[in-house]
Structures are given as structure tokens and as C-alpha cells.
């Protein structure tokens, strides 16, 4: 329907098809759960009278494992066994004209339990906890860590992990959506503009890590090299 609208408005429309891993949206819950789990595991090691380096070793290895899994899932390097999904970008421009300005909107949407503000708070809390526990694990190499200090840092990490894990999807999203309002603005501008250098880019899988935008950028770079 969108492609037909753009063609009726006088644009040539190209479809850029691609496949992507929808499992990228599970990266945040995995990182949150992993951070909380490692914090719980390292807590007794911070206060035990033996094994001065054990807390630092377990913390760094656990943190590296959680980060590797989160990055791998978030960037689509692993799909966790989930099938790939088909999507496409719509690239429209005036016949024979060189594009000077791109107007961009996306078609897909997702509903999350957290607002953007909530996600920022989750990142701040989790980041603070990571720095604090790293510092305590280093301190433990040379001196005892008070139980209340270790417990407070671990609880902060678990709270941060729980907040990060709330970045999972939910069923519905009431109110206006950014994809619908943005797409309406772009299509209205495309219909009313007579500028030959105007290009319209409607991306897919934007909510899955700007997949469509990255596919478009890679394709443009490939053409410029050719």
C-alpha cells in the first residue's frame, strides 16, 4: 500500500529485501538476568575470609560472559535457535533525479514495558552497580570487604539487572506511535513536494536494532564503491 501510494505520487520505488533475527529483542532481558545472577554469585566471595582473588576472577569472567552473550544476541550473531524473519525497505525517488535530501520513517513498531526514561534509569543503575562491584572485587584482593557494603552493591546490581530485564516486549501500546506519525509526515511531504532531489526511505525492522537503516547504508556504500 505504501509503495503504491509513492508510485501514484510520481516516484520510482525500489524494494530492498533482507532477513534479520527477531531474537535481538531478548538481549536486554538476558543481560539483566545475567547481571543479577553474577552479582548474587560474587556476594559470598566478597566477604569470605579466604580466596582473596576469587571474587575478582568470578566477577570478571561472569561479566565478560554476560556481555558476550548480550552483544552476540543484540547484534544478531546468534539467533538462539529462532528462525530469521523477512522484511524490506522501500526506497523511492523521482525518475532520473539525484537525491539531495532523504526523508526517513519506519513501518514496524514494538511495545515495551519500559518507557525511554525507564530504560535510561535502568542503564544508569546497572552501570553504577557494575562499577561499584568491580571496585569492591579489586579491594577484596588486598583487604576484607564489609558485609553490608558487599550486600548493598550486590542488591544494587540485582535491581539494575531487573530493570534492564524489563526491556522485554508486551502485547499492546496505547496512544500515538512514532512509526505511524513519522510515516504519515513523510508520505504527506512526498505527496506535496515537487522537489526533484527528494528521496523517501521507509525502513523495516527499525525496532530490531535499525536493521533496515543499516541495510540501506550498506547498499549505498556498495553502490558508491562500484
Amino acid at each position: 500500500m505504501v509503495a503504491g501510494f509513492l508510485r501514484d505520487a510520481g516516484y520510482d520505488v525500489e524494494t530492498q529485501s533482507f532477513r534479520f533475527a527477531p531474537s535481538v529483542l531478548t538481549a536486554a532481558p538476558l543481560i539483566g538476568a545475567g547481571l543479577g545472577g553474577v552479582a548474587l554469585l560474587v556476594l559470598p566471595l566478597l566477604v569470605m575470609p579466604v580466596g582473596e582473588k576469587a571474587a575478582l576472577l568470578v566477577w570478571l569472567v561472569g561479566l565478560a560472559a554476560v556481555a558476550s552473550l548480550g552483544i552476540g544476541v543484540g547484534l544478531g550473531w546468534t539467533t538462539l535457535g529462532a528462525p530469521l524473519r523477512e522484511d524490506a525497505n522501500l526506497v523511492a525517488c523521482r525518475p532520473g533525479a539525484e537525491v539531495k535530501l532523504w526523508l526517513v520513517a519506519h513501518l514496524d513498531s514494538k511495545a515495551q514495558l519500559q518507557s525511554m526514561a525507564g530504560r535510561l534509569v535502568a542503564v544508569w543503575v546497572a552501570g553504577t552497580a557494575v562499577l561499584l562491584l568491580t571496585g569492591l572485587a579489586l579491594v577484596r584482593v588486598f583487604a576484607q570487604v564489609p558485609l553490608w557494603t558487599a550486600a548493598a552493591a550486590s542488591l544494587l546490581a540485582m535491581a539494575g539487572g531487573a530493570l534492564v530485564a524489563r526491556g522485554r516486549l508486551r502485547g499492546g501500546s496505547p496512544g500515538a506511535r512514532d512509526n505511524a506519525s513519522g510515516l504519515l509526515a513523510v508520505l504527506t511531504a512526498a505527496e506535496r513536494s515537487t522537489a526533484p532531489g527528494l528521496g523517501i526511505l521507509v525502513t523495516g525492522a527499525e525496532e530490531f536494532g535499525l536493521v533496515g537503516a543499516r541495510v540501506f547504508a550498506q547498499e549505498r556504500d556498495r553502490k558508491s564503491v562500484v
Side-chain angles (χ1 to χ4, degrees):
M1 183 172 65
V2 174
F5 178 91
L6 290 169
R7 291 191 181 97
D8 292 341
Y11 292 83
D12 286 341
V13 181
E14 174 191 356
T15 300
Q16 288 182 337
S17 299
F18 58 86
R19 304 174 74 193
F20 71 97
S23 56
V24 299
L25 294 182
T26 63
L30 285 173
I31 291 173
L35 177 60
V38 176
L40 187 61
L41 185 64
V42 82
L43 173 58
L45 300 177
L46 287 172
V47 297
M48 282 176 20
V50 294
E52 292 84 358
K53 297 180 181 179
L56 181 61
L57 179 63
V58 170
W59 173 246
L60 293 179
V61 171
L63 203 60
V66 171
S68 298
L69 179 61
I71 291 172
V73 173
L75 294 180
W77 297 342
T78 176
T79 65
L80 300 177
L84 296 178
R85 188 179 298 179
E86 302 283 345
D87 210 328
N89 295 329
L90 297 178
V91 185
C93 57
R94 298 291 186 184
E98 181 182 357
V99 177
K100 302 294 185 181
L101 175 67
W102 287 99
L103 296 182
V104 185
H106 66 98
L107 277 172
D108 64 321
S109 66
K110 71 177 185 290
Q112 288 184 300
L113 290 173
Q114 282 182 316
S115 64
M116 180 58 73
R119 280 172 270 173
L120 290 174
V121 170
V123 171
W124 292 335
V125 173
T128 301
V130 167
L131 291 176
L132 185 57
L133 275 175
T134 301
L136 291 179
L138 288 170
V139 169
R140 180 65 190 93
V141 176
F142 306 101
Q144 285 289 124
V145 175
L147 176 59
W148 70 268
T149 304
S154 296
L155 286 174
L156 184 64
M158 286 185 277
L163 289 173
V164 171
R166 281 177 57 84
R168 64 186 185 276
L169 299 183
R170 68 176 181 183
S173 179
R177 296 189 178 187
D178 62 335
N179 65 318
S181 56
L183 185 60
L184 177 61
V186 165
L187 294 181
T188 301
E191 183 181 37
R192 296 186 178 182
S193 175
T194 58
L198 182 65
I200 307 298
L201 172 62
V202 180
T203 61
E206 189 274 347
E207 298 285 13
F208 292 84
L210 305 177
V211 179
R214 288 189 278 115
V215 169
F216 173 75
Q218 292 167 3
E219 185 65 22
R220 295 284 291 181
D221 289 342
R222 191 178 300 112
K223 288 182 178 179
S224 66
V225 171
V226 175

